[in-house]
Amino acid sequence: MTRGTTNPNRLRRCDRWIAGPQAWRLRRSPGPPVVVDLGYGASPTTAVELHDRLSAVRPDVQVVGIEIDPARVAAGKPLERDGLSFRLGGFEVPLDGGARPTVVRAFNVLRQYAEDEVPAAWALVQERLAPDGLLVDGTCDEIGRRAAWVAVDATGPLSLTLSLRMGGLERPSDVAERLPKSLIHRNVPGEPVHEFLADLDRAWARHAPHSSWGARQRFLATAAEVRESWPLLDGPSRWRLGELTVAWSAVAPAGR
Ligand SMILES: C[S@@+](CC[C@H](N)C(=O)[O-])C[C@H]1O[C@@H](n2cnc3c(N)ncnc32)[C@H](O)[C@@H]1O
């Protein structure tokens, strides 16, 4: 258990990705999709926000906040409403009737764990996922300006997404200290994720002249250049938001 900082709107960048490029997972669910906010923290705000945002995609979505800390579950209970509930638990994802979650978002949870504990936590969730289900294991700063997350389905990790507030961004690798636990210790020379961030920084520096049209134009040019040598899975409509997703196979720890 930790202090559990949970600032309102902190996870908006990840919510936007789940409600955007990942919305098909919710839409395809034959019954009401279950989405879990795992380790929602001292305040249930992020679960409430997730429910608000995903209801626009699937009005029947069932968001369940799961916490290991009973006091935090008690804090969530008064906010329960149709489609939003809170319960005690962890990565085993306990749900009524053995329901299988379409999305499990665990933000700023595994960062407190050791790197070698991550695969077991992922595996527990992977076993529970619905057929189109996804685990989103991510990290961000206190107010959600810089975020990074790994998407994992039943077969294994699929992608790494970086999402950055472009105003005031010095360089894309500013996100390095917010990498998920599976990558944060790998941001060293010789590791693919380090090369990826270095290439992003080089392209960002080269496209400095685009700044006169705004940071967004600079980010778009940076991503377009990086796509020449890295398998980016998205395009300009996401890059415009300061978001960029790369195939996990390209940035996975060396030797894995
Ligand atoms: C730093 S807070 C993050 C809160 C929120 N997700 C956010 O990003 O703002 C981490 C939370 O994860 C919870 N936690 C840690 N291990 C957990 C586990 N195995 N299962 C469920 N919750 C866990 C802690 O109790 C804490 O409230």
Side-chain angles (χ1 to χ4, degrees):
M1 291 181 206
T2 59
R3 199 160 47 91
T5 326
T6 314
N7 287 314
N9 242 349
R10 186 185 192 196
L11 305 188
R12 63 192 176 281
R13 289 181 172 275
C14 185
D15 288 352
R16 186 171 65 183
W17 184 76
I18 296 170
Q22 303 303 316
W24 65 271
R25 297 180 190 275
L26 303 173
R27 292 204 183 98
R28 208 183 264 185
S29 173
V34 177
V35 174
V36 170
D37 192 4
L38 184 62
Y40 57 85
S43 150
T45 319
T46 56
V48 175
E49 291 169 346
L50 187 62
H51 183 239
D52 288 342
R53 289 171 183 147
L54 296 188
S55 294
V57 175
R58 269 292 292 242
D60 59 348
V61 69
Q62 304 290 309
V63 172
V64 183
I66 296 185
E67 251 296 335
I68 203 171
D69 179 345
R72 292 175 183 178
V73 178
K77 288 285 178 190
L79 295 177
E80 286 192 337
R81 62 191 189 203
D82 207 17
L84 177 65
S85 60
F86 297 90
R87 65 189 306 157
L88 194 63
F91 287 94
E92 74 287 2
V93 196
L95 292 170
D96 286 338
R100 293 184 167 269
T102 297
V103 177
V104 174
R105 181 193 55 196
F107 240 78
N108 299 301
V109 179
L110 284 172
R111 74 191 303 175
Q112 309 154 16
Y113 287 66
E115 186 185 358
D116 63 7
E117 292 178 290
V118 172
W122 282 5
L124 272 177
V125 177
Q126 284 174 286
E127 273 172 33
R128 303 283 316 123
L129 291 174
D132 288 321
L134 197 69
L135 162 66
V136 185
D137 167 14
T139 310
C140 66
D141 64 5
E142 275 64 28
I143 53 173
R145 280 180 309 191
R146 290 174 198 152
W149 56 87
V150 180
V152 183
D153 76 0
T155 66
L158 303 176
S159 58
L160 168 72
T161 299
L162 308 179
S163 184
L164 307 165
R165 183 171 175 271
M166 289 173 285
L169 183 68
E170 288 250 333
R171 59 184 74 84
S173 67
D174 287 353
V175 76
E177 63 193 34
R178 302 293 164 176
L179 285 172
K181 183 57 95 175
S182 48
L183 291 174
I184 194 161
H185 305 300
R186 306 302 179 134
N187 186 29
V188 291
E191 286 283 348
V193 73
H194 185 267
E195 296 308 311
F196 179 60
L197 292 177
D199 273 1
L200 275 172
D201 282 355
R202 275 190 286 269
W204 178 253
R206 241 189 315 276
H207 292 291
H210 280 84
S211 300
S212 41
W213 293 290
R216 174 170 295 148
Q217 293 306 319
R218 187 177 178 185
F219 196 84
L220 279 162
T222 299
E225 180 180 322
V226 164
R227 185 163 61 179
E228 301 292 312
S229 36
W230 292 87
L232 299 192
L233 303 181
D234 54 4
S237 66
R238 303 310 296 179
W239 302 343
R240 295 178 59 76
L241 306 170
E243 182 187 295
L244 179 151
T245 296
V246 62
W248 175 259
S249 54
V251 293
R256 295 267 176 97

